[in-house]
Amino acid sequence: MILCFKNHSLNCLKLLFCFFLLVFPAGILQPPFYHRFFPRSLNYGGIGVVIGHEITHGFDDKGRLFDKDGNLYRWWKDEAVDGFHRRAQCLIGMERENSLYES
């Protein structure tokens, strides 16, 4: 499920992708990622790279090392860290199955 809406007060585009809320500043919709005179394929590819990049942040655990003020602080419980790594194996397994080259 993907929901998309524009927040005019913040001048940003928000995408609700499954359980991820992705917020993009409106300024991202300019070259090199997007331009109204670019071919559609280039626009879709450019913004798709940005969206894909942001989605992968849902699978990294670097934010767990810092508190809300940016101070180095381990605030995740050990069970949460273990659960994260267990679930991350799903994405790792999918990537291992992909290949850029034919065998």
Side-chain angles (χ1 to χ4, degrees):
M1 172 180 70
I2 300 176
L3 300 173
C4 179
F5 56 95
K6 174 107 166 98
N7 183 325
H8 295 282
S9 63
L10 296 176
N11 197 23
C12 65
L13 179 68
K14 293 185 177 186
L15 291 175
L16 182 59
F17 180 79
C18 295
F19 297 108
F20 298 103
L21 176 64
L22 304 175
V23 179
F24 301 97
I28 199 71
L29 295 176
Q30 61 184 350
F33 302 110
Y34 184 90
H35 192 281
R36 67 184 216 175
F37 296 122
F38 285 174
R40 278 189 262 173
S41 59
L42 193 57
N43 281 331
Y44 294 151
I47 201 65
V49 166
V50 173
I51 292 170
H53 169 84
E54 294 305 323
I55 288 172
T56 62
H57 285 304
F59 299 97
D60 72 30
D61 64 345
K62 302 306 178 216
R64 73 179 171 93
L65 302 175
F66 301 93
D67 67 11
K68 65 181 178 62
D69 298 315
N71 300 310
L72 187 60
Y73 176 72
R74 187 174 180 208
W75 58 277
W76 280 15
K77 294 181 180 176
D78 289 337
E79 298 83 32
V81 174
D82 292 340
F84 173 87
H85 289 293
R86 191 174 57 253
R87 290 175 179 92
Q89 290 303 312
C90 175
L91 185 64
I92 293 168
M94 285 176 18
E95 283 300 314
R96 285 192 177 139
E97 292 177 8
N98 293 329
S99 175
L100 295 176
Y101 308 100
E102 292 186 31
S103 2

